[in-house]
Amino acid sequence: MKILLTGGAGYIGSHTAVELSSMGYDVVIADNFSNSNPIVLEKLEKITGKCFPLYKIDVADKAALRRVFEENEIEAVIHFAGYKAVGESVKVPLSYYRSNIDTTLSLIEIMEEFGCKNLVFSSSATVYGKRASLPYSEEMETGPCTNPYGWTKLFIEQIITDYAKANPDFSAVILRYFNPVGAHKSGLIGEDPNGIPNNLVPYISRVAVGNLPYLNVFGNDYPTADGTGVRDYIHVTDLAKGHVAAIDFAAKNSGTEIFNLGTGNGISVLEMVKAYEKACGHEIPYRIAPRREGDIAFCFANAKKAFEILGWKTEFSVDEMCRDSWNWQSKNPDGYK
């Protein structure tokens, strides 16, 4: 089976390319490198021994995307492409709505044109909003979201669900990620965000390697054990394997299914700092900063459905997540640059 990864040179996309390749799938990558680097393709070749076809395109560009389908017999798509920073989405909401939704609409229209009926969508736990009960499970109501990024994911989930209802032979799997961290065990690929990271672990790793002077901990007055936000951190390799399971499921079923991908365990910001200090062998300086708009106190998964239906579960501990993150960052102190 030949699978198109939109945004496939990004953090999660590149790790998914590795796992798909290891299971015998053929991978095609489409990416405009707005939040990734072309050197990733060289790294993927070193890891897998394979050269993946690459299309440097904006996936919202239907003419460019059509060429990808014309030149390849794409049987399934994993849709990663889109903007992904919660804080940034609050500052520039129109950019998020335009990019994320337009990209998805163009993709589904081209898939329809070429008879491609299998889609896996990269969604997010942010679609749950501020739910009172924990852990979050797939049958819960969604929204209201706390930031534009989350709204784009929820709107896209609805678009995909409506399309699948209108096309009974279409198969869509929506994966709600919790907090991906870590890196490939080789240290060749990892998370390399532009500028000051919006997510915790790459922020910590930049401080640990000496590229930033200290970590900003955004809020220590949440109703949690140590006052800092609690999240469900999942190793990116575990997450990538979840996509392989989702592709297998999509190929054998129709309609829309939604799965959480997380560990089911909540870790606070300060607990993650301590785990990273253990991995890198020295202290991580930090200071307390005001809460960020759009952040919530708790967020962690019930991942039982993914285990029961997909046969998927996480394997890596928090210590292993930090170990692999530090292995990547220490070998690549300036990321891919």
mmCIF file of all heavy atoms in Angstrom, residues 11-13 15-16 19 180-184 234-241 316 321:
data_model
loop_
_atom_site.group_PDB
_atom_site.id
_atom_site.type_symbol
_atom_site.label_atom_id
_atom_site.label_comp_id
_atom_site.label_asym_id
_atom_site.label_seq_id
_atom_site.Cartn_x
_atom_site.Cartn_y
_atom_site.Cartn_z
ATOM 1 N N TYR A 11 7.664 16.669 12.773
ATOM 2 C CA TYR A 11 8.066 15.863 13.931
ATOM 3 C C TYR A 11 7.347 14.512 13.961
ATOM 4 O O TYR A 11 7.987 13.449 13.915
ATOM 5 C CB TYR A 11 7.776 16.664 15.197
ATOM 6 C CG TYR A 11 8.021 15.956 16.507
ATOM 7 C CD1 TYR A 11 9.171 15.205 16.725
ATOM 8 C CD2 TYR A 11 7.104 16.066 17.541
ATOM 9 C CE1 TYR A 11 9.393 14.571 17.946
ATOM 10 C CE2 TYR A 11 7.312 15.460 18.758
ATOM 11 C CZ TYR A 11 8.451 14.706 18.958
ATOM 12 O OH TYR A 11 8.663 14.089 20.163
ATOM 13 N N ILE A 12 6.032 14.528 14.015
ATOM 14 C CA ILE A 12 5.284 13.274 14.105
ATOM 15 C C ILE A 12 5.281 12.556 12.759
ATOM 16 O O ILE A 12 5.411 11.332 12.687
ATOM 17 C CB ILE A 12 3.856 13.535 14.603
ATOM 18 C CG1 ILE A 12 3.905 14.212 15.973
ATOM 19 C CG2 ILE A 12 3.068 12.220 14.695
ATOM 20 C CD1 ILE A 12 2.565 14.734 16.446
ATOM 21 N N GLY A 13 5.170 13.318 11.669
ATOM 22 C CA GLY A 13 5.161 12.714 10.340
ATOM 23 C C GLY A 13 6.411 11.923 10.033
ATOM 24 O O GLY A 13 6.344 10.818 9.480
ATOM 25 N N HIS A 15 8.548 10.496 12.123
ATOM 26 C CA HIS A 15 8.610 9.264 12.919
ATOM 27 C C HIS A 15 7.601 8.235 12.412
ATOM 28 O O HIS A 15 7.868 7.025 12.427
ATOM 29 C CB HIS A 15 8.369 9.579 14.396
ATOM 30 C CG HIS A 15 9.531 10.264 15.060
ATOM 31 N ND1 HIS A 15 9.770 11.609 14.918
ATOM 32 C CD2 HIS A 15 10.527 9.777 15.838
ATOM 33 C CE1 HIS A 15 10.863 11.927 15.594
ATOM 34 N NE2 HIS A 15 11.336 10.835 16.157
ATOM 35 N N THR A 16 6.465 8.704 11.941
ATOM 36 C CA THR A 16 5.475 7.795 11.370
ATOM 37 C C THR A 16 5.990 7.189 10.072
ATOM 38 O O THR A 16 5.760 6.003 9.790
ATOM 39 C CB THR A 16 4.147 8.528 11.141
ATOM 40 O OG1 THR A 16 3.672 9.041 12.401
ATOM 41 C CG2 THR A 16 3.101 7.596 10.556
ATOM 42 N N GLU A 19 8.106 4.202 10.972
ATOM 43 C CA GLU A 19 7.348 3.033 11.421
ATOM 44 C C GLU A 19 6.564 2.389 10.273
ATOM 45 O O GLU A 19 6.494 1.161 10.175
ATOM 46 C CB GLU A 19 6.404 3.421 12.566
ATOM 47 C CG GLU A 19 7.119 3.909 13.812
ATOM 48 C CD GLU A 19 8.139 2.922 14.353
ATOM 49 O OE1 GLU A 19 7.855 1.709 14.337
ATOM 50 O OE2 GLU A 19 9.218 3.358 14.787
ATOM 51 N N PRO A 180 2.885 14.597 22.469
ATOM 52 C CA PRO A 180 4.027 13.834 21.947
ATOM 53 C C PRO A 180 5.364 14.430 22.383
ATOM 54 O O PRO A 180 5.566 15.648 22.315
ATOM 55 C CB PRO A 180 3.861 13.958 20.424
ATOM 56 C CG PRO A 180 2.470 14.434 20.205
ATOM 57 C CD PRO A 180 2.114 15.244 21.397
ATOM 58 N N VAL A 181 6.264 13.557 22.807
ATOM 59 C CA VAL A 181 7.611 13.980 23.212
ATOM 60 C C VAL A 181 8.598 12.889 22.792
ATOM 61 O O VAL A 181 8.216 11.866 22.242
ATOM 62 C CB VAL A 181 7.711 14.232 24.738
ATOM 63 C CG1 VAL A 181 6.786 15.354 25.169
ATOM 64 C CG2 VAL A 181 7.394 12.960 25.523
ATOM 65 N N GLY A 182 9.880 13.119 23.055
ATOM 66 C CA GLY A 182 10.894 12.121 22.750
ATOM 67 C C GLY A 182 11.403 12.256 21.326
ATOM 68 O O GLY A 182 11.164 13.253 20.639
ATOM 69 N N ALA A 183 12.116 11.235 20.876
ATOM 70 C CA ALA A 183 12.737 11.247 19.559
ATOM 71 C C ALA A 183 13.076 9.816 19.166
ATOM 72 O O ALA A 183 13.041 8.900 19.998
ATOM 73 C CB ALA A 183 13.999 12.098 19.567
ATOM 74 N N HIS A 184 13.434 9.626 17.895
ATOM 75 C CA HIS A 184 13.855 8.304 17.442
ATOM 76 C C HIS A 184 15.118 7.884 18.187
ATOM 77 O O HIS A 184 15.990 8.707 18.490
ATOM 78 C CB HIS A 184 14.112 8.322 15.935
ATOM 79 C CG HIS A 184 14.331 6.967 15.364
ATOM 80 N ND1 HIS A 184 15.587 6.431 15.167
ATOM 81 C CD2 HIS A 184 13.435 6.021 14.950
ATOM 82 C CE1 HIS A 184 15.462 5.217 14.653
ATOM 83 N NE2 HIS A 184 14.183 4.943 14.508
ATOM 84 N N ILE A 234 3.306 11.355 25.681
ATOM 85 C CA ILE A 234 3.428 10.081 24.969
ATOM 86 C C ILE A 234 4.660 10.117 24.076
ATOM 87 O O ILE A 234 4.914 11.128 23.395
ATOM 88 C CB ILE A 234 2.148 9.790 24.145
ATOM 89 C CG1 ILE A 234 2.317 8.535 23.278
ATOM 90 C CG2 ILE A 234 1.733 10.986 23.288
ATOM 91 C CD1 ILE A 234 1.048 8.123 22.545
ATOM 92 N N HIS A 235 5.428 9.048 24.089
ATOM 93 C CA HIS A 235 6.626 8.981 23.237
ATOM 94 C C HIS A 235 6.213 9.014 21.775
ATOM 95 O O HIS A 235 5.267 8.330 21.361
ATOM 96 C CB HIS A 235 7.408 7.701 23.528
ATOM 97 C CG HIS A 235 8.813 7.716 23.027
ATOM 98 N ND1 HIS A 235 9.124 7.727 21.689
ATOM 99 C CD2 HIS A 235 10.008 7.741 23.694
ATOM 100 C CE1 HIS A 235 10.439 7.737 21.544
ATOM 101 N NE2 HIS A 235 10.997 7.750 22.746
ATOM 102 N N VAL A 236 6.923 9.781 20.985
ATOM 103 C CA VAL A 236 6.555 9.959 19.583
ATOM 104 C C VAL A 236 6.618 8.646 18.797
ATOM 105 O O VAL A 236 5.861 8.445 17.835
ATOM 106 C CB VAL A 236 7.425 11.051 18.924
ATOM 107 C CG1 VAL A 236 8.883 10.607 18.827
ATOM 108 C CG2 VAL A 236 6.891 11.453 17.559
ATOM 109 N N THR A 237 7.463 7.731 19.211
ATOM 110 C CA THR A 237 7.512 6.427 18.541
ATOM 111 C C THR A 237 6.257 5.612 18.840
ATOM 112 O O THR A 237 5.711 4.951 17.949
ATOM 113 C CB THR A 237 8.775 5.650 18.946
ATOM 114 O OG1 THR A 237 9.931 6.383 18.517
ATOM 115 C CG2 THR A 237 8.805 4.262 18.329
ATOM 116 N N ASP A 238 5.786 5.662 20.088
ATOM 117 C CA ASP A 238 4.507 5.026 20.405
ATOM 118 C C ASP A 238 3.389 5.644 19.568
ATOM 119 O O ASP A 238 2.525 4.937 19.035
ATOM 120 C CB ASP A 238 4.173 5.208 21.892
ATOM 121 C CG ASP A 238 4.867 4.192 22.787
ATOM 122 O OD1 ASP A 238 5.204 3.097 22.306
ATOM 123 O OD2 ASP A 238 5.067 4.495 23.981
ATOM 124 N N LEU A 239 3.404 6.960 19.459
ATOM 125 C CA LEU A 239 2.389 7.656 18.672
ATOM 126 C C LEU A 239 2.445 7.241 17.207
ATOM 127 O O LEU A 239 1.412 6.979 16.578
ATOM 128 C CB LEU A 239 2.593 9.164 18.803
ATOM 129 C CG LEU A 239 1.532 10.064 18.169
ATOM 130 C CD1 LEU A 239 0.188 9.865 18.839
ATOM 131 C CD2 LEU A 239 1.958 11.521 18.249
ATOM 132 N N ALA A 240 3.648 7.159 16.669
ATOM 133 C CA ALA A 240 3.820 6.753 15.262
ATOM 134 C C ALA A 240 3.269 5.353 15.037
ATOM 135 O O ALA A 240 2.609 5.086 14.011
ATOM 136 C CB ALA A 240 5.290 6.823 14.881
ATOM 137 N N LYS A 241 3.505 4.454 15.963
ATOM 138 C CA LYS A 241 2.984 3.095 15.828
ATOM 139 C C LYS A 241 1.457 3.078 15.868
ATOM 140 O O LYS A 241 0.816 2.218 15.255
ATOM 141 C CB LYS A 241 3.566 2.196 16.917
ATOM 142 C CG LYS A 241 5.050 1.916 16.733
ATOM 143 C CD LYS A 241 5.606 1.059 17.865
ATOM 144 C CE LYS A 241 7.093 0.768 17.644
ATOM 145 N NZ LYS A 241 7.664 -0.047 18.744
ATOM 146 N N PHE A 316 6.718 3.184 26.171
ATOM 147 C CA PHE A 316 7.817 3.970 26.736
ATOM 148 C C PHE A 316 7.394 4.706 28.007
ATOM 149 O O PHE A 316 6.300 5.255 28.086
ATOM 150 C CB PHE A 316 8.310 4.997 25.717
ATOM 151 C CG PHE A 316 9.017 4.400 24.531
ATOM 152 C CD1 PHE A 316 8.305 4.007 23.408
ATOM 153 C CD2 PHE A 316 10.392 4.233 24.537
ATOM 154 C CE1 PHE A 316 8.933 3.463 22.312
ATOM 155 C CE2 PHE A 316 11.045 3.681 23.449
ATOM 156 C CZ PHE A 316 10.319 3.294 22.331
ATOM 157 N N MET A 321 11.209 8.680 27.561
ATOM 158 C CA MET A 321 10.886 9.832 26.714
ATOM 159 C C MET A 321 11.955 10.917 26.856
ATOM 160 O O MET A 321 12.445 11.462 25.857
ATOM 161 C CB MET A 321 9.526 10.414 27.110
ATOM 162 C CG MET A 321 8.345 9.492 26.926
ATOM 163 S SD MET A 321 6.824 10.262 27.561
ATOM 164 C CE MET A 321 5.822 8.810 27.890
#
